[in-house]
């Protein structure tokens, strides 16, 4: 869920419970201003923040909020930055909060006034926030997320904005998470006034938002579906799952979505909300096991940026893309887009949680502030839009990737991925649960493992951050690894950088025809602490490799279709070769530490269990003709290297 709504109610509401309403708000109200943005006037004589409806081709009314720079001059025309959301473009300010703001003669806190929009206003951009059809204060229904109608709406709203007296006729789209997808999909609308897009922490391939390697993210999808359904009902308490006193506080502070200005009593809003008859996302998604399964009347290729490749590439629009290594699939989506799409792209991959609120480097001493800081992130975003929207002939964007190496604490820039200067280091599964560079020589050598379905990566893992933007914190994995099948190397004789996509090759058999493999790459410190670094996931019936030329886009690792027609059940007891990549990463391991590969058959924290009945026992082979191993993309670090 978009962080603004949750942060508003939780940070203020919980503070109220502990400190009392007036006292808690006095903490966050810090500078002198008596009016809300919607009550201020610009230098040009416009109200600084207004809301209205824009009618679409089919008569559906789309609610928009326009935030102008306070010092907008008469006759001045500025670029427009548009964010389309299904998490409410803006919420109402409750009467209690309004009264206290006036009482303290104070500014609106960042939790209420969107920090990103406020910064863009300061950098002299008009900011347009849009409720997607069927959500917030907009009319219409949602037949699926990111529907073709939603994409067409973005083109029409952008065209409307380009004609307004405060617009220079050039529009850029931006957004985080769901809003990041809409920002990218706007490029497929074919609207010439849209000149640049900025998808932040989005899903290039929507399949990976609901599945990882064919394994369903069941818990997260259910929670997200319930939250957005409540928001579509204009139910702030339901969206937060608050009851009683907590709900009462919610409604005092932010009772619901912001109505448009000519609907002060909210009657039109109530009428449109009552017409929201939207798809149940969880029910639609639960039916999807394979890429070619329908989601209602649509298929995932029709709502994914990756599936609309022809239209997005044809737009030739420049992109700025930001993501975090440990935010769900991490940099995988951004790097796959970079590898496949011809659009000019600036890609930034940091040690960041979903939305960029925390530094999630597993070796960092502190997770706050994030790296880059919030202010630095906003500056990079505004600088990009300055280059492409200020003039009708924009500055050329040269594609590049800026990536952060965790454990090292340094940024690097490359024009190609993987970067130059890397080599492949192969480590074989060996006797006594070791990783060895030597080719195995044993005959009939194997290890047996019975899947433990209680295995978990905890409640603050890379998947949990996608629902709320929380920190990513993995506890010491030493005890959890006792539930897994783990192989560990000897201590490193020098620092070692791993940058790219590790590839795992398993020669194995199972007592069941289906199952999931959760593979973890870990660092083992000399004192025994086990630090999570990376992971890869694959449902075993999706193991068939295919020619990448036959796919919508070429993946970073071994290519597979995830189509129902390519699914292959295991024959119990019969060996099979299973090869898949872990997520792309960049991390530095220190001299004296050891590398570990740990294998699980489940992750109870977030993922569906496979198979639903029965407990698999695996046989992992480590013989010359049936070798299991990991290929690591590495860079050896010389001691005293500059």
């Amino acid at each position: 869920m978009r962080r603004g709504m949750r942060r508003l109610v939780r940070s203020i509401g919980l503070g109220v419970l502990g400190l009392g309403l007036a006292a808690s708000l006095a903490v966050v109200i810090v500078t002198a201003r008596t009016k809300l943005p919607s009550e201020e006037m610009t230098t040009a004589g416009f109200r600084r923040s207004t809301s209205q409806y824009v009618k679409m081709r089919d008569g559906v009314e789309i609610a928009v909020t326009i935030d102008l720079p306070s010092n907008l001059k008469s006759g001045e025309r500025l670029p427009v930055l548009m964010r389309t959301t299904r998490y409410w473009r803006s919420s109402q300010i409750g009467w209690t909060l309004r009264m206290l703001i006036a009482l303290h003669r104070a500014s609106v806190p960042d939790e209420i006034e969107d920090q990103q929009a406020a910064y863009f206003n300061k950098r002299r951009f008009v900011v347009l926030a849009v409720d997607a059809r069927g959500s917030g204060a907009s009319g219409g229904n949602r037949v699926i997320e990111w529907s073709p109608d939603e994409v067409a709406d973005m083109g029409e709203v952008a065209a409307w904005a380009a004609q307004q007296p405060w617009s220079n006729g050039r529009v850029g789209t931006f957004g985080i998470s769901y809003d990041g997808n809409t920002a990218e999909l706007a490029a497929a609308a074919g609207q010439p006034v849209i000149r640049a897009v900025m998808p932040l922490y989005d899903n290039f391939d929507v399949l990976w938002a609901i599945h990882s390697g064919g394994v369903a993210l069941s818990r997260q999808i259910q929670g997200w579906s319930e939250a957005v359904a409540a928001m579509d009902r204009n139910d702030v308490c339901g969206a937060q799952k608050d009851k009683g006193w907590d709900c009462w506080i919610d409604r005092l502070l932010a009772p619901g979505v912001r109505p448009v200005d000519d609907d002060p009593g909210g009657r039109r809003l109530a009428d449109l909300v009552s017409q929201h008859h939207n798809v149940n996302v969880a029910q639609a998604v639960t039916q999807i096991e394979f890429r070619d399964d329908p989601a209602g009347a649509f298929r995932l290729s029709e709502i994914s940026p990756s599936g609309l490749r022809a239209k997005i590439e044809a737009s030739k629009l420049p992109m700025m893309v930001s993501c975090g290594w440990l935010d769900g699939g991490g940099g995988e989506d951004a790097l796959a887009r970079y590898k496949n799409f011809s659009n000019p792209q600036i890609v930034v991959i940091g040690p960041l949680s979903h939305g960029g609120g925390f530094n999630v480097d597993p070796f960092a001493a502190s997770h706050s502030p994030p790296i880059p800081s919030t202010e630095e992130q906003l500056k990079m975003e505004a600088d990009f839009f300055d280059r492409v929207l200020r003039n009708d002939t924009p500055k050329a964007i040269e594609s590049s990737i800026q990536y952060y190496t965790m454990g090292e604490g340094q940024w690097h820039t490359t024009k190609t991925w993987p970067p130059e200067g890397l080599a492949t280091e192969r480590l074989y599964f060996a006797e006594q649960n070791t990783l060895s560079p030597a080719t195995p020589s044993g005959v009939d050598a194997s290890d047996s493992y019975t899947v433990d379905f209680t295995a978990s990566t905890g409640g603050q893992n890379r998947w949990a951050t996608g629902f709320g933007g929380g920190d990513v914190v993995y506890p010491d994995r030493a005890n959890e690894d006792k539930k897994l099948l783990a192989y560990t190397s000897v201590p490193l004789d020098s620092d070692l950088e791993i940058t790219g996509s590790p590839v795992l090759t398993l020669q194995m058999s199972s007592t069941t025809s289906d199952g999931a493999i959760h593979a973890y790459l870990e660092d083992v410190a000399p004192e025994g602490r086990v630090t999570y670094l990376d992971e890869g996931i694959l449902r075993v019936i999706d193991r068939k490799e295919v020619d990448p030329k036959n796919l919508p886009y070429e993946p970073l690792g071994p290519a597979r279709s995830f189509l129902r027609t390519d699914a292959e059940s295991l024959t119990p007891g019969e060996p099979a070769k299973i090869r898949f990549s872990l997520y792309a990463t960049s991390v530095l391991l220190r001299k004296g530490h050891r590398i570990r590969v740990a294998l699980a058959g489940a992750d109870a924290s977030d993922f569906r269990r496979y198979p639903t009945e029965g407990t698999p026992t695996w046989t992992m082979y480590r013989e010359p003709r049936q070798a299991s191993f990991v290929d690591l993309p590495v860079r050896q670090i010389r001691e005293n290297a500059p």
Side-chain angles (χ1 to χ4, degrees):
M1 179 186 293
R2 184 170 172 266
R3 289 177 298 140
M5 180 66 192
R6 182 169 296 275
R7 194 173 61 221
L8 165 63
V9 177
R10 291 296 185 200
S11 63
I12 297 179
L14 293 179
V16 166
L17 291 174
L19 301 174
L21 188 57
S24 68
L25 287 174
V27 172
V28 294
I29 295 174
V30 291
T31 60
R33 188 175 71 202
T34 59
K35 294 181 179 179
L36 299 174
S38 59
E39 298 165 335
E40 292 182 344
M41 300 295 289
T42 68
T43 307
F46 296 108
R47 283 175 55 193
R48 191 170 88 75
S49 182
T50 57
S51 284
Q52 66 180 83
Y53 283 117
V54 179
K55 188 167 288 189
M56 299 292 98
R57 64 210 165 276
D58 56 359
V60 169
E61 295 176 303
I62 298 297
V64 303
T65 292
I66 307 103
D67 287 329
L68 305 172
S70 58
N71 57 352
L72 178 72
K73 301 173 184 177
S74 180
E76 186 178 19
R77 294 176 177 270
L78 300 176
V80 179
L81 303 185
M82 183 174 79
R83 176 178 63 84
T84 302
T85 186
R86 58 109 59 260
Y87 301 140
W88 298 355
R89 75 198 189 285
S90 181
S91 59
Q92 296 183 59
I93 302 299
W95 67 269
T96 303
L97 186 53
R98 177 183 289 271
M99 176 185 69
L100 287 168
I101 289 171
L103 179 65
H104 289 272
R105 301 180 63 80
S107 68
V108 179
D110 284 342
E111 288 84 357
I112 303 166
E113 186 176 22
D114 187 290
Q115 189 173 8
Q116 196 175 34
Y119 183 85
F120 288 156
N121 273 172
K122 290 177 183 177
R123 288 288 298 268
R124 306 199 63 70
F125 294 98
V126 175
V127 179
L128 193 70
V130 184
D131 280 332
R133 70 165 53 209
S135 74
S138 288
N141 295 307
R142 303 185 64 75
V143 293
I144 194 66
E145 306 302 314
W146 304 296
S147 71
D149 273 337
E150 189 172 343
V151 174
D153 291 345
M154 288 187 282
E156 292 190 25
V157 173
W160 170 85
Q163 298 299 316
Q164 302 309 304
W166 28 257
S167 172
N168 72 357
R170 293 181 284 276
V171 178
T173 60
F174 74 99
I176 293 172
S177 192
Y178 186 100
D179 308 357
N181 273 52
T182 61
E184 183 169 4
L185 290 169
Q191 176 49 249
V193 303
I194 299 176
R195 300 294 186 91
V197 299
M198 185 180 288
L200 309 173
Y201 309 89
D202 75 324
N203 296 107
F204 172 66
D205 188 337
V206 173
L207 180 64
W208 310 133
I210 60 177
H211 282 195
S212 176
V215 179
L217 277 156
S218 52
R219 182 172 301 178
Q220 185 179 120
I221 292 299
Q222 183 62 43
W224 187 87
S225 179
E226 292 171 358
V228 296
M231 296 187 82
D232 294 346
R233 300 190 303 268
N234 202 20
D235 178 6
V236 64
C237 297
Q240 299 290 95
K241 293 190 175 180
D242 285 346
K243 297 180 180 179
W245 174 253
D246 286 347
C247 178
W248 184 78
I249 293 296
D250 291 348
R251 294 192 180 283
L252 283 178
L253 297 173
V257 67
R258 177 179 174 177
V260 299
D261 295 345
D262 63 1
D263 182 31
R267 290 186 178 182
R268 182 61 180 149
L269 170 63
D271 180 53
L272 291 176
V273 167
S274 71
Q275 298 174 32
H276 290 170
H277 302 296
N278 298 337
V279 65
N280 184 307
V281 178
Q283 287 181 6
V285 166
T286 300
Q287 307 305 313
I288 298 174
E289 280 193 274
F290 302 95
R291 182 182 292 282
D292 47 345
D293 289 343
F298 295 88
R299 297 188 187 277
L300 295 181
S301 60
E302 298 174 276
I303 61 173
S304 293
S306 59
L308 297 176
R309 176 177 180 172
K311 291 182 178 180
I312 293 175
E313 284 193 295
S315 75
K316 299 181 180 180
L317 294 180
M319 299 180 173
M320 179 176 175
V321 179
S322 290
C323 59
W325 285 126
L326 297 184
D327 173 18
E332 197 84 3
D333 276 346
L335 293 169
R337 181 194 294 106
Y338 189 89
K339 180 177 182 178
N340 287 274
F341 278 25
S342 60
N343 301 67
Q345 298 172 57
I346 295 175
V347 176
V348 181
I349 311 176
L352 295 166
S353 59
H354 190 64
F358 295 92
N359 170 19
V360 301
D361 185 337
F363 298 106
S366 172
H367 282 205
S368 294
I371 298 174
S373 68
T374 300
E375 292 74 18
E376 290 169 333
Q377 292 177 52
L378 293 172
K379 183 179 185 303
M380 285 191 294
E381 294 161 13
D383 286 350
F384 170 79
F385 282 130
D386 266 340
R387 291 175 61 183
V388 295
L389 296 179
R390 290 295 177 191
N391 301 302
D392 202 48
T393 303
K395 296 180 180 178
I397 295 296
E398 188 173 354
S399 292
S400 66
I401 302 168
Q402 300 171 45
Y403 68 95
Y404 181 95
T405 300
M406 298 178 291
E408 181 191 32
Q410 297 294 325
W411 286 92
H412 306 276
T413 300
T414 180
K415 295 184 182 300
T416 61
W417 192 266
E420 295 180 354
L422 296 165
T424 299
E425 180 171 327
R426 178 168 291 181
L427 296 174
Y428 292 92
F429 294 7
E431 59 185 3
Q432 298 180 339
N433 296 99
T434 60
L435 289 174
S436 171
T439 304
S441 58
V443 178
D444 296 328
S446 65
D447 296 305
S448 180
Y449 170 69
T450 299
V451 169
D452 187 334
F453 284 107
T454 69
S456 170
T457 52
Q460 287 187 275
N461 59 35
R462 66 192 298 159
W463 309 105
T465 186
F467 190 48
D471 199 358
V472 178
V473 181
Y474 286 89
D476 184 344
R477 298 273 301 162
N479 286 331
E480 199 66 26
D481 279 358
K482 294 175 182 178
K483 300 178 181 179
L484 313 183
L485 178 60
Y487 297 88
T488 309
S489 74
V490 299
L492 298 171
D493 56 13
S494 64
D495 291 353
L496 185 72
E497 177 191 333
I498 300 173
T499 295
S501 301
V503 177
L504 193 63
T505 299
L506 304 178
Q507 295 279 3
M508 62 176 288
S509 62
S510 175
T511 57
T512 60
S513 60
D514 196 3
I517 302 171
H518 298 256
Y520 305 104
L521 182 66
E522 299 171 335
D523 170 278
V524 183
E527 71 276 11
R529 177 180 174 82
V530 180
T531 299
Y532 171 100
L533 303 176
D534 194 16
E535 72 183 78
I537 305 172
L538 183 69
R539 186 179 178 187
V540 296
I541 66 172
D542 290 314
R543 69 190 181 279
K544 181 180 178 180
E545 293 187 40
V546 301
D547 186 340
K549 294 179 181 178
N550 296 329
L551 299 179
Y553 64 92
E554 184 177 351
L556 301 184
R560 43 183 46 88
S561 70
F562 294 96
L563 299 177
R564 184 174 289 274
T565 53
D566 285 331
E568 294 181 346
S569 297
L570 291 174
T571 300
E574 183 175 307
K577 180 180 179 179
I578 301 176
R579 198 170 73 103
F580 63 101
S581 64
L582 279 60
Y583 288 107
T585 189
S586 184
V587 63
L588 183 70
L589 281 63
R590 296 298 181 181
K591 178 180 178 180
H593 288 229
R594 293 177 291 160
I595 300 169
R596 175 173 291 175
V597 173
L599 304 176
D603 182 354
S605 61
D606 292 284
F607 291 91
R608 187 179 297 166
R609 165 182 170 155
Y610 300 86
T612 55
E613 296 181 358
T615 301
T617 295
W618 299 345
T619 300
M620 196 66 59
Y621 299 99
R622 41 183 178 79
E623 305 169 354
R625 292 188 178 183
Q626 294 188 110
S628 299
F629 53 85
V630 63
D631 285 326
L632 299 173
V634 302
R635 193 193 317 271
Q636 208 78 30
I637 307 299
R638 303 188 313 274
E639 290 193 39
N640 302 319

